[in-house]
Amino acid sequence: MLDYIRLDWDLPILSQLPNGFKSAAILLHPFIQMPSGWEKSKRENPYQHIYPSDEEMFNLGEPISWKEVISKSNLRSYKELSVALQTLTDTSSDEYKKLASYLKVNPDFYYPEEDRTSLFILNSLLKILCSKGANTLYFSEPIHDTNGSFKVNDMSSLEIANLSPNESIITDENMDFAFMGIYDSFITLLLAKDTNIEDTIKSLNLEALICDKETYLNSFI
């Protein structure tokens, strides 16, 4: 069992990993593209805020990478896009204006999921956790201070995503890997006992930043 850990945003990520874990990667939650006309069909009045449900996102949505959004929005880096997402209430920031302009001409396009791990990358993460033969996964969440275990084949991705209303940490029975959502962010942190976490990321084509000794949470989110 691995309890959820609160990371200090002002300290290097790698220096805060639980015992045994040697590497980490910041996984970027994809943006969401729904089918053309989807929002119009759902909206009951012009002022209604619409966001896809888990089922709608999972069954109808298409994940859009940060890299693609950057290339089409005049933003220059992951850092600038992260700033834009973190300043959604500050419409005066240059980063926000660039992202808002992109969204304006791209209907049925939505921001990534916040706080919890994105449904679009969850299946890949489960494959990683089970890649060394694990069948049982353990979870811990800090909101209600609950934890437990489940057989990976006994739960759907939607059920796993809803184990916690916000952040949680999930690890395999051998604690070879773990992943955790980060509160008030659009990222998930993947932890590994292996030092070659980059190979693991590439094998499943996940969009990520590999942590080095100088990687801080506050340098990205």
Side-chain angles (χ1 to χ4, degrees):
M1 180 72 69
L2 180 64
D3 289 334
Y4 187 86
I5 54 175
R6 294 285 188 186
L7 296 178
D8 189 324
W9 290 30
D10 297 315
L11 293 174
I13 293 172
L14 293 183
S15 70
Q16 302 180 70
L17 299 186
N19 289 339
F21 289 97
K22 298 181 177 67
S23 59
I26 294 171
L27 307 181
L28 309 176
H29 295 177
F31 287 77
I32 304 150
Q33 180 68 63
M34 297 299 288
S36 177
W38 180 85
E39 181 172 333
K40 185 177 181 180
S41 71
K42 303 289 289 187
R43 190 179 296 280
E44 297 180 359
N45 64 71
Y47 306 103
Q48 185 180 9
H49 176 70
I50 301 292
Y51 193 84
S53 68
D54 287 350
E55 290 80 3
E56 290 167 332
M57 187 190 314
F58 195 66
N59 294 320
L60 300 174
E62 177 187 356
I64 304 297
S65 69
W66 287 40
K67 186 176 182 179
E68 181 175 340
V69 173
I70 289 168
S71 69
K72 296 180 178 179
S73 64
N74 294 319
L75 291 162
R76 295 175 295 182
S77 65
Y78 286 137
K79 176 65 176 179
E80 284 197 359
L81 181 48
S82 178
V83 170
L85 288 170
Q86 294 298 322
T87 57
L88 294 178
T89 58
D90 179 12
T91 57
S92 64
S93 78
D94 290 339
E95 293 86 358
Y96 171 83
K97 291 177 182 177
K98 291 177 181 178
L99 181 58
S101 295
Y102 177 79
L103 266 65
K104 189 175 182 180
V105 297
N106 287 274
D108 304 298
F109 188 83
Y110 295 89
Y111 298 121
E113 291 183 85
E114 191 174 7
D115 297 336
R116 67 172 189 171
T117 297
S118 168
L119 278 167
F120 286 132
I121 66 173
L122 188 54
N123 279 337
S124 292
L125 287 170
L126 295 176
K127 288 180 181 178
I128 291 173
L129 265 62
C130 297
S131 63
K132 295 190 176 184
N135 296 306
T136 301
L137 302 183
Y138 295 87
F139 74 92
S140 170
E141 64 88 17
I143 302 299
H144 302 293
D145 192 26
T146 60
N147 53 65
S149 65
F150 58 92
K151 297 291 186 181
V152 69
N153 292 327
D154 291 345
M155 294 184 70
S156 68
S157 296
L158 288 173
E159 289 173 321
I160 294 172
N162 287 298
L163 285 171
S164 169
N166 288 295
E167 70 264 56
S168 64
I169 189 167
I170 297 179
T171 186
D172 63 275
E173 58 194 282
N174 302 314
M175 292 182 59
D176 288 311
F177 300 97
F179 67 89
M180 56 186 289
I182 305 296
Y183 179 72
D184 200 24
S185 80
F186 302 89
I187 66 170
T188 288
L189 192 65
L190 175 65
L191 316 179
K193 284 185 176 178
D194 295 334
T195 56
N196 61 340
I197 195 171
E198 188 169 3
D199 293 341
T200 301
I201 296 296
K202 288 180 178 179
S203 70
L204 291 168
N205 199 31
L206 291 166
E207 191 173 25
L209 300 174
I210 307 302
C211 296
D212 60 27
K213 293 181 179 180
E214 301 301 320
T215 304
Y216 298 70
L217 279 180
N218 70 359
S219 66
F220 184 73
I221 55 179

